[in-house]
Amino acid sequence: MTTFATTDPTLRRLFERLDFAPQPKDEALSWLFDYWKDKRSGRVAPKLQEVAVPDLGEAAGNGFILQLDPQANAPVLMFGGAAFENLMGACDHGVVVLAKAPRRRGAVRLRRLSGLVQRCAEPVLAEFEAYAADHHRVRVEIVLAPLSGDGKAVDGLFGGLALRPIHAERLASAWTPLPAQPADNQPLLFALKSATDLGERIAHHMGQSLQPHEERDFEDGEHKTRPLVDVRRRDVQVIAGLHGSSSQSVNDRLCRLLFFVGALKDAGAARVTVVAPYLCYARKDRQTKPYDPITTRYIGQLFEAVGADWLVTMEVHNLAAFQNAFRCNTTHLDAYLAFSRHVAAIAGNTSLAVVSPDIGGAKRAELFRQVLEEHLGRPVSKGLADKQRSMGRVSGDLFAGDVSGCTAVILDDLISTGTTMARVAGQCREHGAKRVIVAATHGVGGPAALANLTQPAIDTVLLANTIPQTPEFVAALSDRLTILDVSDVFAQTLSDRARHPGSFPMTQSGSGAHR
């Protein structure tokens, strides 16, 4: 489960990423986090005295332990490894870190992060860039987890730090010559800030590094985005999020991506592949009222105008409309295999039924049912609900299919307000479903959907990590929510494209190609 620092302006300035379901990239941090989880043993958090420095072994150099001082309202350093001192400066044990640390910028970040963990009583992973003690620019990955003596209040913190040097070309100024890339056949992979986390996950699966680029904002609200490497005659792949957030609107992110694609083509890129996990404006694919816009087609024309050669996306609202709207090559992916694996794991031997929340999604639900049935090796039944939407109001109460005694899986492409999911979940319960799982690739509504997704008729909510969710959303749904990583699906598609540059699969599933 992945969430970004979309909470308040201060956190957005201090951290590039916040993740309330940590999956550290660094091996030492992974070990430290696993150690904390073992010590927790199903409780809210382990006790301070249960965390022993000798147990940490080689990972102690990355670890640190803080005790919260109730009088000073600040953490006191009980132990800090070499990585901690490299970022914070030399700190005496038993000293209030945030008041006495030589490197105040690192102390401010730790104070903000400590307060966040203290309030939420949940572990968090953060990433940011900073200067280390040797004055070299580094990328910092930090995991911070709560400690609690009484199992109620957080009175300590256990953490780990990993510092990775940043390549010099990422610090290139406007007048520095751009470094040339080696003349090989490996595509250059970029991820805009709107998709940093997913981009890094995709790059990891592909065994590549993300290429440096600059995103600069101007005082009047305009911006520019440019590559910081030579892209001439190269195959370039760009990952970007086209969902709205509290810091950037859908239009902001679409405009940045279009300008960056244009800049790449102007800089001589041979081919540009756009990876948009969630494709914005794809829901308005036909005219339902006089003079309605057909925004799906307009989006296709915009990407063609700036020179995009190939567009990869996942689970659009209407596949046929999407494929007809673009004249450039496209590939459509789905998350069915990831969903089927998780559903199979939590459903066990109980009977399953896949339910489409409306007639328009019947084909999608049937394809997923087939994948799930193949994965389980046993029959999976199906259901269909009726829905009419007009002027923002949803109606329709017809239901077809047998879900009695089953775990019902309601599948849709996205969840906006959650009204449809809550309504269909209630229908499944009325028709005898023992358990209801709602699954959607894109969680576009965020907190706006909480009122409906917390309805008692819904047991589990499954989302893919195509759109990061806010900490408030994740905390409100608590154990009900699972966010599945689909970065491997995108990585496999991009790797296949790199090996077979003349091939453009139109539609591809996480479980194999289909048409």
Side-chain angles (χ1 to χ4, degrees):
M1 300 191 313
T2 300
T3 58
F4 284 78
T6 56
T7 48
D8 62 54
T10 302
L11 288 177
R12 288 199 299 271
R13 286 195 300 269
L14 294 177
F15 303 106
E16 295 180 14
R17 174 189 173 202
L18 285 179
D19 191 332
F20 282 85
Q23 295 182 358
K25 306 183 189 73
D26 184 81
E27 291 184 7
L29 293 196
S30 295
W31 190 94
L32 290 169
F33 186 52
D34 289 340
Y35 173 81
W36 177 85
K37 288 190 289 185
D38 290 340
K39 292 293 183 181
R40 182 174 58 172
S41 302
R43 296 171 293 171
V44 173
K47 297 180 180 180
L48 178 64
Q49 56 267 32
E50 293 175 338
V51 179
V53 175
D55 293 346
L56 305 184
E58 294 182 358
N62 296 83
F64 62 91
I65 302 172
L66 306 172
Q67 183 175 9
L68 297 177
D69 184 346
Q71 294 182 343
N73 193 28
V76 176
L77 179 65
M78 308 304 293
F79 168 77
F84 185 90
E85 291 199 357
N86 198 5
L87 183 66
M88 301 291 177
C91 299
D92 294 333
H93 296 181
V95 175
V96 180
V97 175
L98 303 187
K100 304 294 184 181
R103 304 186 65 80
R104 296 299 177 88
R105 187 66 174 170
V108 169
R109 285 192 169 97
L110 183 58
R111 177 171 63 84
R112 290 288 184 178
L113 209 57
S114 300
L116 190 61
V117 175
Q118 191 174 4
R119 290 193 304 272
C120 299
E122 292 288 344
V124 65
L125 182 147
E127 289 188 11
F128 56 90
E129 292 182 4
Y131 285 100
D134 59 3
H135 304 292
H136 284 92
R137 190 88 172 155
V138 294
R139 184 166 188 84
V140 181
E141 184 180 23
I142 179 171
V143 174
L144 197 60
L147 302 173
S148 176
D150 59 5
K152 298 178 181 179
V154 176
D155 54 19
L157 299 165
F158 176 71
L161 276 168
L163 280 60
R164 301 195 306 271
I166 296 176
H167 298 302
E169 62 264 22
R170 291 194 61 181
L171 304 178
S173 61
W175 56 84
T176 303
L178 298 181
Q181 289 294 310
D184 55 33
N185 294 324
Q186 189 180 60
L188 300 177
L189 185 63
F190 293 87
L192 299 188
K193 289 182 179 179
S194 57
T196 301
D197 178 66
L198 186 60
E200 289 180 345
R201 291 173 184 268
I202 293 172
H204 175 74
H205 285 297
M206 297 175 68
Q208 292 185 222
S209 298
L210 294 176
Q211 298 298 320
H213 72 285
E214 177 191 23
E215 294 185 44
R216 183 179 176 189
D217 295 303
F218 298 103
E219 294 76 7
D220 60 354
E222 295 183 356
H223 51 79
K224 77 169 183 179
T225 306
R226 66 177 182 127
L228 294 177
V229 293
D230 188 356
V231 299
R232 285 172 294 180
R233 298 182 298 278
R234 300 300 299 272
D235 195 347
V236 179
Q237 299 168 342
V238 183
I239 306 163
L242 294 181
H243 56 278
S245 73
S246 58
S247 59
Q248 289 181 327
S249 70
V250 172
N251 300 330
D252 291 333
R253 291 180 167 177
L254 176 61
C255 194
R256 285 174 186 266
L257 175 57
L258 292 170
F259 288 0
F260 188 54
V261 172
L264 291 169
K265 297 297 282 191
D266 288 344
R271 286 173 298 276
V272 175
T273 297
V274 172
V275 181
Y278 169 72
L279 186 63
C280 61
Y281 291 113
R283 281 186 276 179
K284 193 58 183 172
D285 50 43
R286 64 190 185 279
Q287 291 181 325
T288 55
K289 296 286 190 299
Y291 317 119
D292 266 358
I294 308 175
T295 53
T296 304
R297 191 178 78 224
Y298 309 153
I299 292 295
Q301 292 170 340
L302 286 171
F303 279 110
E304 292 157 12
V306 295
D309 298 284
W310 185 33
L311 185 134
V312 181
T313 190
M314 178 172 279
E315 202 64 89
V316 294
H317 192 63
N318 184 326
L319 179 56
F322 163 73
Q323 291 175 336
N324 288 322
F326 285 77
R327 289 192 296 268
C328 67
N329 293 286
T330 60
T331 294
H332 180 262
L333 306 175
D334 62 58
Y336 299 160
L337 186 57
F339 283 144
S340 66
R341 287 171 176 165
H342 190 80
V343 168
I346 62 178
N349 295 323
T350 60
S351 299
L352 285 166
V354 175
V355 178
S356 173
D358 53 43
I359 295 174
K363 180 65 174 178
R364 177 185 301 110
E366 174 60 18
L367 290 173
F368 173 63
R369 189 194 67 81
Q370 293 173 10
V371 173
L372 182 59
E373 197 170 67
E374 182 179 353
H375 183 77
L376 291 170
R378 56 186 171 91
V380 175
S381 58
K382 55 186 173 181
L384 173 66
D386 177 39
K387 180 181 77 174
Q388 293 89 40
R389 185 188 298 273
S390 180
M391 304 298 291
R393 299 188 63 180
V394 177
S395 60
D397 54 6
L398 297 179
F399 187 91
D402 182 13
V403 296
S404 179
C406 294
T407 294
V409 184
I410 308 170
L411 181 76
D412 211 346
D413 59 317
L414 57 85
I415 295 176
S416 182
T417 63
T419 302
T420 297
M421 288 298 198
R423 184 178 60 84
V424 179
Q427 290 178 305
C428 289
R429 292 290 193 183
E430 291 171 1
H431 286 77
K434 287 186 176 180
R435 184 176 186 177
V436 176
I437 300 171
V438 300
T441 303
H442 313 295
V444 301
L450 285 175
N452 287 307
L453 295 183
T454 52
Q455 293 294 318
I458 298 174
D459 297 290
T460 303
V461 178
L462 299 182
L463 298 173
N465 63 337
T466 55
I467 295 176
Q469 302 302 322
T470 64
E472 292 87 351
F473 180 84
V474 175
L477 288 177
S478 186
D479 296 336
R480 189 179 294 201
L481 174 67
T482 299
I483 301 179
L484 303 176
D485 184 14
V486 292
S487 57
D488 58 326
V489 180
F490 289 98
Q492 183 63 51
T493 299
L494 295 178
S495 297
D496 290 345
R497 162 67 174 141
R499 287 193 295 267
H500 308 288
S503 175
F504 293 92
M506 293 177 60
T507 307
Q508 185 173 326
S509 169
S511 56
H514 65 83
R515 292 188 184 272

